[in-house]
Amino acid sequence: MKIFCRKNRKYIIDGIVIAAVTLFTLFYLIKGGYFTAEKLSVINFYDFLIVSVYCFLALALLSFVDFLVYRTFTRNMPYYKCLFNTVSGNLGSGVTPYKTGHFPLMIYYQINSGVPYSDTAAGLIKCQIIYSFTSVAVYTVVVIILAAKGLFVTMNGVSVPLWAVISLGLLFHLGVVLLIVVLAFIKPLQGKALSFTANIINKFKKDFDKDKFIADKSEKLGVYRREISLIAGGFYKFIPAFILYAVFMIMSSSSAYLSYLLASRSQFDFDSMLIFYILVLASAYVTNFVPIPGGVGSSELIFTLIFASVIPDELMGAVLILWRVGSFYLLMVIDLILFVISHFIRQKKNKENLADN
């Protein structure tokens, strides 16, 4: 009963925070004159549809990347399962305040789809390795391009070089990769790091099992060590996945620029696309520190602050509405529908298997 009450209290507090942030954001945007009928008249239903389809195609591409990774070691994940798996993960990350919120639903989907847990764990970790190493490579290339072009944005009268902004993302992903590699392959350091982390958690969390924590993390790092070695040993098999994930990275962070093109009826410009790409990443850095599911309310507010230097005031509201509704709210509806469909497909197959047995 106490656990149930604590969970309910947490949900209530989360709901209050989301409502408060959303109302504050709406008040700020309405008072700022962003949401007037005249300013929003530049967009129509088909614009929302275009953005949503574009974002869903990005998810479909990510599903194909996962399919290429899974098929290197199992035939239990055909493309349609990879698509439902990606949709489940995207739904999970959208309804939870945590960046790792996609993992529970992805594991739930795969296990209930008949995928052995060993394949599920190996596949998820293999994909994360591909994502992390590709992110480092893409960010490095983008930093070089931006430094060569000398592009910058002006915020509150201060000129900020874009290569410096993306360098934060590069350092983060590089740090994550190095940390995983070092801890996975240097066991003495791994033991000290896990013991140190367990001691810190133990001071703040009651009923914390240090031994179980260290054992679980050691096992996971062991899987990372094995999968990194396998990928390195057969690198050529993963080249298509690396390349396509780089394309996905560009697609997933360019929906704001697509929204701007639709609202302004402007023509494509590579430099402008790069600026939008970097600013979307910058807004994601900030939003990730705000523990609100899907960044509801906070993403909209941060967007107006970060993009104020590149989007005219008369277009800001239209671009914001088109981007958030098309790339998040409508996409969440699509994800939920597909998640429910996948659930009924699994139930039907389970009943058929039960009848056969």
Side-chain angles (χ1 to χ4, degrees), residues 190-223:
Q190 175 191 125
K192 291 180 180 179
L194 292 179
S195 180
F196 176 75
T197 305
N199 287 332
I200 293 178
I201 297 175
N202 190 46
K203 292 181 179 180
F204 298 95
K205 190 175 181 181
K206 296 180 179 180
D207 301 325
F208 177 68
D209 191 335
K210 291 172 55 178
D211 294 334
K212 185 177 184 303
F213 172 83
I214 293 174
D216 289 345
K217 297 303 179 184
S218 297
E219 182 182 358
K220 187 174 182 180
L221 286 170
V223 177

Side-chain angles (χ1 to χ4, degrees), residues 129-167:
I129 293 170
I130 298 293
Y131 302 165
S132 296
F133 279 90
T134 306
S135 297
V136 171
V138 170
Y139 281 21
T140 300
V141 171
V142 173
V143 167
I144 294 172
I145 293 174
L146 292 174
K149 284 183 167 291
L151 296 176
F152 64 91
V153 291
T154 302
M155 296 183 180
N156 295 324
V158 179
S159 296
V160 180
L162 288 178
W163 68 264
V165 177
I166 193 65
S167 292

